[in-house]
Amino acid sequence: MNVFRQAFGLLPDSFKKKSAIFVFLLLISSILEAIGIGLILPILSIVLENDSNQSAILLNALSFFNIQDPQNILLAVLIIFVSVYVLKNLYLIFFYYWQNKFSFSLYKKISTDLFKSYIKRPILFHFSKNSSELVRNVFQECKNFSGLVNSYLKLIVECTILLSISLILFYFEPKATAIVFLIVGICSITFVKLTKKRVYK
C-alpha cells in the first residue's frame, strides 16, 4: 500500500486526473463482466427448459416485449447473449488499449521531464555523475516506474472484475461459491507459506 501511495504521489498532475477517468472506465468494464457472467445461468436454464428463478427473471423481461413463443424466446435469448458478449469484448479492447496508452504516455512524460532536468543541471553535475547512470535513469528506471503503475492498474482491474463475478456467483449459488472460495483460499495461503522463503532467496 505504501508503494502504491508513493507511486501515485509521483504521478504528474495530468495523469492523476486521468486516473479518475480510468476508475470510471474500470467501473463500466466490471459491470459488463458481471452482466456477461450473470446471463449464463438464466440462458442455460431456458435452453435446457429448466424452471428456475434465474430463467423466470429473463422470461419476465422478454414477456414485457410481447415475446412469448418458445422459438422466439430462444432466438431472442441467443441474440441478447451474443450482443452482450460482442459489446463487452469491443469495450474491453478499447479499455486495454486506453490502459496501455496511458502507461506509455506516462513513460514518455516522466522520461522527457527527467531528461530536461538533467540538461538544465550545471556542468559540474555531469562531471560528477556517470553518464551511463543518467541514461539508465532516463530510459530503464522510467520504464520500470511506468511498468509499476501499469501493473497496479492491471491489479485493480483484475480485483474489481473478480469482485463483481464473485458477487454474481454468491447471488446465484452462495453455498457452492463459499465452499469454492474457502478451498481456494486455504490452498493459496498454504502455497504462499511454503514457497515464500524459497522465492525470496
Side-chain angles (χ1 to χ4, degrees), residues 148-191:
L148 174 67
V149 173
N150 194 35
S151 297
Y152 273 123
L153 295 180
K154 290 181 179 179
L155 180 63
I156 295 172
V157 171
E158 298 300 330
C159 289
T160 308
I161 292 175
L162 177 62
L163 178 61
S164 60
I165 293 175
S166 300
L167 292 176
I168 292 294
L169 294 176
F170 268 112
Y171 176 77
F172 288 122
E173 293 290 341
K175 292 183 179 180
T177 305
I179 293 173
V180 169
F181 269 83
L182 181 62
I183 295 174
V184 172
I186 293 174
C187 293
S188 300
I189 293 173
T190 304
F191 177 79

Side-chain angles (χ1 to χ4, degrees), residues 43-50:
I43 289 174
L44 285 178
S45 298
I46 293 175
V47 172
L48 299 176
E49 297 181 352
N50 293 330

Side-chain angles (χ1 to χ4, degrees), residues 25-26 28-29 32 87-95:
L25 296 176
L26 172 62
I28 297 177
S29 67
L32 290 176
L87 177 63
K88 184 193 73 171
N89 289 328
L90 288 176
Y91 178 80
L92 289 179
I93 291 173
F94 161 75
F95 177 72

Side-chain angles (χ1 to χ4, degrees), residues 22-155:
F22 169 77
V23 172
F24 176 73
L25 296 176
L26 172 62
L27 179 62
I28 297 177
S29 67
S30 301
I31 293 173
L32 290 176
E33 287 285 357
I35 292 174
I37 297 296
L39 281 176
I40 293 177
L41 290 178
I43 289 174
L44 285 178
S45 298
I46 293 175
V47 172
L48 299 176
E49 297 181 352
N50 293 330
D51 295 330
S52 63
N53 294 330
Q54 295 89 349
S55 61
I57 295 173
L58 190 55
L59 289 173
N60 291 333
L62 292 176
S63 65
F64 179 78
F65 296 98
N66 294 324
I67 302 176
Q68 298 179 352
D69 185 72
Q71 292 184 349
N72 292 336
I73 289 176
L74 183 60
L75 179 61
V77 165
L78 292 178
I79 291 175
I80 292 173
F81 183 77
V82 173
S83 300
V84 168
Y85 270 84
V86 169
L87 177 63
K88 184 193 73 171
N89 289 328
L90 288 176
Y91 178 80
L92 289 179
I93 291 173
F94 161 75
F95 177 72
Y96 289 124
Y97 166 78
W98 187 92
Q99 179 182 343
N100 290 326
K101 183 180 179 181
F102 174 86
S103 177
F104 180 77
S105 299
L106 176 61
Y107 163 65
K108 180 180 178 181
K109 172 66 175 175
I110 59 177
S111 62
T112 302
D113 290 346
L114 183 60
F115 179 71
K116 289 180 180 179
S117 70
Y118 283 155
I119 291 178
K120 295 177 182 178
R121 296 291 182 91
I123 191 66
L124 293 178
F125 169 82
H126 294 280
F127 284 141
S128 62
K129 293 289 185 179
N130 192 330
S131 60
S132 62
E133 179 182 352
L134 302 181
V135 172
R136 184 196 66 192
N137 291 340
V138 171
F139 289 98
Q140 191 61 42
E141 296 302 330
C142 291
K143 184 180 292 185
N144 290 340
F145 176 75
S146 175
L148 174 67
V149 173
N150 194 35
S151 297
Y152 273 123
L153 295 180
K154 290 181 179 179
L155 180 63

